[in-house]
């Protein structure tokens, strides 16, 4: 250190950007999920806390039209954990949503009132269009510049959202700007498994499930909007759901599910065919014993595969990209973009000495 008046003077400290927290909670027909995150690089965020639990809120709903007491208790237990995680946090933005089970149930409003009283959380029941848009927003970073078109789908517990995306026009940073058609099928892994049975699934039963979903897709008027791109190498499918992440985990032979290896994985058509055929050949106990399926998904995974197969037959593609992300990530992206956090961080970073 040179001698003189400046000697011993502390160097200017780099300006520390304040950590801004956002939270997103998604109560679905099958899962309850929470993410708490802080913005990082432009368009990205870093997860600070996360929670996910299978609650099967929609169990029995397709038969009775109501949420069962046991299902509501399971969901409330998970929501209480989420509320505890959020308590005491200084959040710049928070959004808490509920989807198909609460949309469809005759006692959905009563359940939401109970959630407010017992946990302090107010859940917003979103419509199917919003659900499809959030799924697209959550997966935007997985769509490369080399993509001209894709079919993005989210196979849920009680409904399945499908968005057709055309990127051949003027491209904007928001993937949702390029949705040319979308639909929400009133079927998911829980409702389909309850109708056809999930424990013992023969190949005939599987084909009957595929046929039912195929008939629903045939009523989707906008299904042909990507016909000019579907046969090209710059077209693919992008799936965000437990079904596709489970297939990916089985494909990789994981002894324990690893999101880092699954999220963003590309699967060739032959690999998807092989995995569906493999799981279809397993007994219920064999499915349950697989570490990427387990007891909680063993009776649902083939219903999900049937929905996936109907989508693949309708939009044949050589490749499927797997996304372990969805509505929570979409909510976080939209809240952060709304607040301009990435622009603000760039400005502050530019002012550092």
């Amino acid at each position: 250190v040179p001698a003189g008046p400046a000697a011993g003077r502390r160097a200017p400290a780099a300006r520390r950007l304040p950590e801004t927290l956002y939270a997103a909670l998604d109560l679905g027909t099958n899962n309850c999920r929470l993410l708490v995150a802080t913005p990082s690089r432009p368009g990205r965020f870093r997860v600070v806390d996360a929670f996910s639990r299978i609650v099967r809120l929609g169990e029995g709903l397709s038969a009775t039209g109501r949420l069962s007491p046991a299902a509501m208790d399971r969901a409330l237990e998970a929501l209480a954990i989420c509320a505890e995680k959020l308590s005491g946090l200084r959040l710049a933005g928070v959004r808490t949503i509920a989807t198909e089970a609460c949309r469809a149930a005759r006692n959905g409003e009563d359940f939401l009132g109970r959630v407010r009283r017992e946990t302090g959380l107010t859940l917003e029941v979103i419509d199917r269009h919003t659900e499809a848009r959030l799924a697209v927003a959550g997966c935007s970073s997985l769509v490369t510049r080399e993509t001209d078109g894709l079919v993005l789908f989210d196979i849920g517990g009680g409904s399945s959202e499908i968005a057709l995306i055309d990127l051949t026009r003027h491209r904007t940073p928001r993937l949702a700007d390029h949705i040319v058609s979308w639909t929400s099928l009133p079927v998911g892994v829980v409702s389909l498994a309850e109708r056809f049975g999930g424990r013992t699934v023969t190949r005939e039963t599987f084909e009957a499930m595929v046929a039912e979903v195929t008939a629903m897709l045939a009523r989707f008027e906008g299904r042909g909007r990507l016909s000019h791109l579907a046969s090209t190498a710059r077209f693919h499918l992008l799936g965000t759901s437990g079904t596709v992440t489970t297939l990916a985990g089985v494909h990789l032979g994981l002894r324990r599910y690893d999101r880092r290896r699954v999220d963003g994985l590309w699967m060739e058509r032959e690999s998807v065919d092989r995995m569906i055929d493999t799981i279809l050949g397993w007994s219920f106990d064999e499915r349950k014993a697989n570490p990427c399926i387990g007891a909680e998904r063993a009776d649902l995974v083939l219903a999900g595969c049937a929905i996936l197969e109907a989508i693949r037959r309708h939009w044949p593609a050589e490749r499927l990209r797997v996304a372990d992300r969805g509505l929570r990530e979409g909510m976080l992206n939209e809240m952060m973009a709304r607040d301009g956090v990435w622009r603000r961080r760039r400005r502050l970073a530019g002012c550092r000495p």
Side-chain angles (χ1 to χ4, degrees), residues 30-301:
N30 197 42
N31 292 277
C32 177
R33 299 185 176 104
L34 170 72
L35 273 185
V36 180
T38 185
S40 56
R41 291 180 294 152
R44 305 294 180 93
F45 52 79
R46 177 175 59 84
V47 174
V48 174
D49 196 6
F51 172 80
S52 180
R53 178 178 291 183
I54 293 177
V55 296
R56 297 203 183 203
L57 179 60
E59 187 174 63
L61 175 62
S62 59
T64 66
R66 299 179 63 84
L67 303 175
S68 72
M72 289 189 287
D73 286 344
R74 288 194 298 268
L76 279 162
E77 183 180 340
L79 289 168
I81 294 172
C82 294
E84 184 178 353
K85 285 178 172 290
L86 294 176
S87 65
L89 294 180
R90 297 185 62 182
L91 296 169
V94 59
R95 192 172 184 187
T96 56
I97 64 169
T99 57
E100 183 64 20
C102 291
R103 279 196 298 258
R106 291 198 298 271
N107 60 340
E109 282 298 325
D110 293 337
F111 170 68
L112 295 176
R114 187 178 166 195
V115 170
R116 283 192 296 273
R117 291 191 302 273
E118 296 186 20
T119 71
L121 296 172
T122 299
L123 299 182
E124 167 197 1
V125 181
I126 60 171
D127 59 32
R128 289 174 173 174
H129 178 266
T130 302
E131 189 170 353
R133 190 196 75 234
L134 289 174
V136 171
C139 296
S140 58
S141 64
L142 290 180
V143 179
T144 66
R145 299 294 302 180
E146 293 73 32
T147 303
D148 282 345
L150 67 146
V151 174
L152 187 149
F153 59 89
D154 182 359
I155 301 171
S159 67
S160 298
E161 279 60 49
I162 301 171
L164 277 59
I165 300 169
D166 185 344
L167 294 164
T168 58
R169 308 172 197 177
H170 176 66
R171 190 158 178 167
T172 70
R174 292 182 70 249
L175 189 62
D177 291 341
H178 300 277
I179 298 174
V180 293
S181 187
W182 73 277
T183 189
S184 179
L185 306 181
V187 65
V189 296
V190 175
S191 54
L192 196 62
E194 287 183 347
R195 281 206 297 279
F196 287 88
R199 292 178 66 92
T200 302
V201 180
T202 65
R203 294 186 182 273
E204 292 74 22
T205 303
F206 183 78
E207 285 299 326
M209 289 193 285
V210 173
E212 177 161 320
V213 181
T214 299
M216 295 179 186
L217 287 172
R219 296 192 288 271
F220 172 29
E221 293 183 358
R223 63 187 181 277
R225 295 292 298 275
L226 293 181
S227 57
H228 61 298
L229 299 172
S231 60
T232 69
R234 296 169 69 93
F235 170 83
H236 65 85
L237 302 179
L238 175 56
T240 167
S241 67
T243 295
V244 292
T245 57
T246 296
L247 279 178
V250 175
H251 167 68
L252 293 170
L254 300 180
R255 294 185 177 181
R256 180 180 180 183
Y257 183 79
D258 185 346
R259 182 187 186 275
R260 294 170 298 177
R261 295 186 62 187
V262 168
D263 186 47
L265 179 74
W266 287 100
M267 292 184 68
E268 302 298 321
R269 181 173 61 182
E270 293 78 11
S271 297
V272 181
D273 289 339
R274 186 168 59 253
M275 287 305 100
I276 293 177
D277 189 65
T278 297
I279 296 173
L280 187 53
W282 287 345
S283 67
F284 174 77
D285 287 336
E286 287 173 314
R287 298 196 300 271
K288 187 167 66 172
N290 184 276
C292 293
I293 300 176
E296 292 182 319
R297 295 187 182 276
D299 62 336
L300 302 177
V301 63

